[in-house]
Amino acid sequence: MTEMIRVGNCSGFYGDRASAMREMLDGGDLDVLTGDYLAELTMLILGRDRMKDPTRGYAKTYLRQLEECLGTALDKGVTLVSNAGGLAPARLADEIRSLADRLGLTVSVAHVEGDDLHDRAEEQGLGSPLTANAYLGAFGVAACLDAGAQVVVTGRVTDASVVVAPAISRFGWTRDHLDELAGAVVAGHIIECGTQATGGNYSFFREIEDLRRPGFPLAEIRSDGSSVITKHENTGGAVTVGTVTAQLMYEITGPRYLGPDVTARLDTVQVSQDGPDRVLVTGTRGEAPPPTLKVSRNTLGGFRNEMTFVLTGLDIEAKADLVRTQMTEALTPPPRDVDWTLARTDHPDAGSEEAASALLRVVVRDADPQRVGRVFSAAAVELALASYPGFCVTTPPGQGSPYGVFEAGFVDQAVPRHVAVLADGTRVDIAPPTVTTAVEADPSDKPVGRPSAEPTRTLPLGTVAAARSGDKGGSANVGVWVRGDAAWAWLRSTLTTELVTTLLPETAGLRVHRYEFPHLRAVNIVIDGILGEGVASGARFDPQAKGLGEWLRSRHVPIPESVLAESGLA
């Protein structure tokens, strides 16, 4: 049999289920347990923590999990790898050693550093951000594991790297093992968001028998780079071709998935059911990585505030116009950015007051905290007896709060001083890859085939298609996939960028890209700029675009009868 390593996940974000580490350690066999704590927004949160206290900047919840679980992990021989170090991996490593001493445990703790470019940002043309962290690869973590570390913490590495590194260490892969590395990257991408691989946020969630508490995923990674995605027995959720496909389409762009160690060709990935709650992932091909590394940059963009007016009953549009006019006249000079959104959540002849109401939301941003603080919110509240009938707001007046702006930067692979700091303090320099390939952005695909001329029924797109969406800075992606050959022939000929902009009017005037993944029967749509300057500054109702795919699925399109028949809906 092909040699295999079992790598689990117990965190998809900073704030994920606190008991997951315990559940994964107690639930079944593992070789390695990983956790991802660092989203783009998290780096901003940790940056503000570090401003208040230079000793902070790591995910404090990880320490709380270890307090309960470190002894169990050591008893079971499970290695722990996470990026919970954030902006202070050395500090977190020291805290873990102190925790182990208090618990009477002996543990080998190592960390990886070199991603933090904050002090060198200006010289690298990255401006003067609050945080600037290069996305490092897996070989630094692998060096720590090779030296016998039982716990490894990192700063900003790619999400998949904490999963790839144990496979590198176990199988002795080098930078030349591109296909194997790419396969492990795909396995890491699938499990790094935790329960999104086991039924969480899944379009066809009603097909899953028990989704009350889905189990966290694990990957059985093989020496050839293939893997089986599964979960512990007797846990909730499900692992199916559908749940795995959905996660494969999460927060990606084109067929080439660029990383610091390898470029994984997502258009080569094949998935198949390998038994109950087991999905086999094979065929992934790898190419040399790009010569540059992505850098996560967060800056403080100013201050923001918001108010939501409740508009009830008749004349909703006129009421909204009145408030806009009154607030515009009251805020002179106006804040730098003023965004209004009217959500027509009201229903005619409603049986409850809430169902009869719409929501008018205004978000303001400015460099001056006073202009978006009490000056703004007091102006809204002062209208209480002088505006539309039934005046109501959802929150009391308050001060503005600081917000951040995310931007991606790029530096040469050799710029970060990538170092594995072993348990005994030895510092091992990690050389960048010697072979790289400059990759242009994948061009948008053109639709394949022509729409069918057969009879159709106009129904929600989600009748036959699933979707998953997410954010990347100011852009968003929506991966759409189907489960049958007839549906795939229809989807790839029908779901054009023009149709997307028609179905999603918010995309008007924005650049929309389209990419096909035939092995997955999927089309990925990337919408540039729909999230403005990123989640921390966004005024959009859904600032991380998590519901964008479900909105697209709810839009009505003509679906051929043959596609409906294939889906059992004839």
Side-chain angles (χ1 to χ4, degrees), residues 498-513:
E498 292 77 16
L499 179 60
V500 169
T501 56
T502 299
L503 298 177
L504 305 181
E506 288 183 26
T507 64
L510 301 176
R511 188 176 182 186
V512 179
H513 312 264

Side-chain angles (χ1 to χ4, degrees), residues 302-324:
F303 297 83
R304 60 170 284 162
N305 205 346
E306 65 179 83
M307 293 289 285
T308 299
F309 301 88
V310 181
L311 315 175
T312 304
L314 305 177
D315 305 317
I316 296 295
E317 297 286 349
K319 291 172 180 174
D321 287 343
L322 175 58
V323 175
R324 289 193 194 99

Side-chain angles (χ1 to χ4, degrees), residues 50 115-118 121 126 129-134 295-298:
R50 185 171 64 178
D115 62 294
D116 195 338
L117 302 179
H118 178 258
L126 300 172
L130 176 65
T131 66
N133 296 80
V295 179
S296 169
R297 292 185 294 168
N298 283 283

Side-chain angles (χ1 to χ4, degrees), residues 481-503:
W481 56 273
V482 292
R483 298 191 281 195
D485 291 337
W488 171 234
W490 167 74
L491 183 73
R492 70 190 310 201
S493 66
T494 304
L495 192 62
T496 64
T497 56
E498 292 77 16
L499 179 60
V500 169
T501 56
T502 299
L503 298 177

Side-chain angles (χ1 to χ4, degrees), residues 160 183-198 217-219 227 229 239 243-245 247-248 269 271 279 281 468:
V185 165
V186 167
H189 174 59
I190 293 170
I191 72 169
E192 56 95 0
C193 273
T195 52
Q196 281 198 163
T198 60
L218 63 93
S227 63
I229 308 301
V239 180
T243 66
V244 169
T245 298
Q247 182 55 25
L248 278 169
V269 178
V271 295
V279 170
V281 183
R468 178 159 290 169

Side-chain angles (χ1 to χ4, degrees), residues 168-215:
I168 292 174
S169 181
R170 171 66 63 89
F171 305 129
W173 295 340
T174 68
R175 291 193 179 276
D176 295 330
H177 289 82
L178 295 177
D179 289 345
E180 293 88 342
L181 290 169
V185 165
V186 167
H189 174 59
I190 293 170
I191 72 169
E192 56 95 0
C193 273
T195 52
Q196 281 198 163
T198 60
N201 294 340
Y202 181 51
S203 291
F204 296 136
F205 70 99
R206 290 188 296 175
E207 297 178 359
I208 297 176
E209 184 175 343
D210 182 7
L211 196 56
R212 292 172 297 174
R213 193 176 179 84

